[in-house]
Amino acid sequence: MEYVVRRKFDSKLTTGVVGVVICFLYAMVYWPIWAFAAKAIITATAAKGLALVDAKTAGKFVAVFAEGTFFWCSINAWIWQTLIFGNYGKYSQGELQPKAGIWYTFLSFVCGTVAYLVIISFLGLWWKPFSMSLMFSPQSAAELHLAMEGWEASNFYVLPVIIAQIPFVSLFQKKPWAGNLKPPYDGLAVMMTSSVFALIVWFGMFIPSFFHLQIGGHDITGQPLGSWPAVLAFCQGFIFWFLMPAEGGESYPYKAITAKQPWMGLAGLVVSLVCGGFLMPMFYNGLIKAFDINPGVNPNLTAASLELSLIVFMLCWHHLFDDYPGVDVEPGLAKRVITRMVIWVAGGTVFGFAWLKCYKLLPFAGNDLGWGYPVMGMLAGQFALLMVFLYFNTFFDKWPLVTKEAVKQGQ
């Protein structure tokens, strides 16, 4: 069967603008549904433990469960399916949308659930906070608090997945497996290798952020980077810098240092760590304190939010606006890439400050509409919106703005 691709709008900018509107409206609807479903599940299984704690603690427990289902089934799974495996098998049930997108979204939920069960249930054999029975059905107030630590630590496996697995694609371009192994085996090799690093980073940096372990009354863990907000600011700055070459940078800026792997990847890793992980949070912290931005909120959290806004805008521009301007508009490589980078920073900055003013009004971020479902907050709320952009483009091929129609041969 042959197919022809048809676009509702000839302009990539028009397609992008309409796509943003569609995705935003969808985010307004899907998160309350997701949150209500998550709340119904955990309030049923953890009813005994929830009845023994105050309303604030119970609400936080429900929120971390809803957050966990989203992180594992949406973000982690999308990274593995799209970035590591290149959406292998997306059209196995048919090439037309929205069927292909619905199938692959279902597969995303399955992949995320299986990964959670394999990793966390194995650890739960000996680590009490990761015990499945404790996490889903705490029987006392003490067990519920322990389960909440388990959910928070398991939820933020998402950040090691992002900061330790994505660079294998964005910086190292899947080398040395790309070109030497056929799909899906190249993806499997990247998945296995990068997962080792993700697990090391998780145990080294994120487990100590939530578990306060002692031996003989002595603390054996310290808070990485001094505080959890500092960790978040480090991660968001690092992510922005290592995503550049893959999200419209055409391998730049690190290709300017060298085009050979693994040296380009290593150079990008070092620059991303220094400029993104350390200097960028310092810059934003200084800006926030000097101008009293977002008063009453930890400056590192505000810095992390502003950095994340740059990431959201950059990914939106890549996925919905097709990295405008393209070669057809600007044939000069340097001018083309620099223009995109200016767009990312300018657009992301405007979006970042607007987000700080508006997120509490949005039903997927800070406003439960009086219905009592968990919302995602200042940081995770941006991910709730971002994932709609990503699914819209990679799973659904921008349907219905871009459609694929079957044609008979010879037509």
Side-chain angles (χ1 to χ4, degrees), residues 190-205:
V190 175
M191 182 69 183
M192 293 299 99
T193 306
S194 62
S195 291
V196 172
F197 286 89
L199 288 167
I200 291 172
V201 170
W202 186 45
F203 275 101
M205 189 173 182

Side-chain angles (χ1 to χ4, degrees), residues 293-294 302 305-306 351-360 378:
I293 299 170
N294 208 21
T302 302
S305 178
L306 292 171
F351 170 68
F353 283 105
W355 177 263
L356 292 178
K357 295 292 185 181
C358 301
Y359 80 91
K360 291 183 180 179
M378 184 171 66

Side-chain angles (χ1 to χ4, degrees), residues 113-264:
T113 302
V114 170
Y116 165 80
L117 291 174
V118 169
I119 296 173
I120 304 303
S121 64
F122 173 73
L123 293 174
L125 294 174
W126 303 282
W127 288 69
K128 286 186 178 180
F130 293 134
S131 165
M132 289 289 106
S133 61
L134 192 72
M135 292 178 77
F136 282 91
S137 184
Q139 298 298 300
S140 67
E143 285 192 352
L144 186 134
H145 281 280
L146 196 61
M148 189 148 52
E149 288 191 3
W151 276 112
E152 288 181 321
S154 66
N155 291 356
F156 282 97
Y157 183 63
V158 69
L159 284 178
V161 167
I162 294 172
I163 68 174
Q165 293 196 262
I166 294 180
F168 277 83
V169 180
S170 64
L171 296 179
F172 291 92
Q173 302 169 323
K174 297 187 180 181
K175 301 294 183 180
W177 303 282
N180 295 317
L181 293 174
K182 294 181 179 180
Y185 300 108
D186 59 341
L188 183 62
V190 175
M191 182 69 183
M192 293 299 99
T193 306
S194 62
S195 291
V196 172
F197 286 89
L199 288 167
I200 291 172
V201 170
W202 186 45
F203 275 101
M205 189 173 182
F206 292 90
I207 294 292
S209 293
F210 296 100
F211 289 1
H212 307 290
L213 306 179
Q214 292 186 333
I215 293 180
H218 301 286
D219 291 337
I220 62 170
T221 59
Q223 177 60 56
L225 302 182
S227 69
W228 175 239
V231 172
L232 293 173
F234 164 85
C235 289
Q236 304 311 323
F238 179 46
I239 293 166
F240 177 70
W241 279 78
F242 75 60
L243 281 177
M244 285 185 188
E247 303 298 332
E250 300 187 38
S251 297
Y252 287 91
Y254 311 122
K255 192 176 180 180
I257 300 173
T258 177
K260 294 183 178 180
Q261 293 289 6
W263 309 116
M264 187 179 83

Side-chain angles (χ1 to χ4, degrees), residues 2 7 12 57 72 92 109 131 171 179 187 201 283 310 331 370 375:
E2 293 184 357
R7 300 175 66 94
K12 290 182 179 179
T57 302
W72 281 94
S92 61
F109 297 161
S131 165
L171 296 179
V201 170
F283 168 77
L310 295 178
V375 290

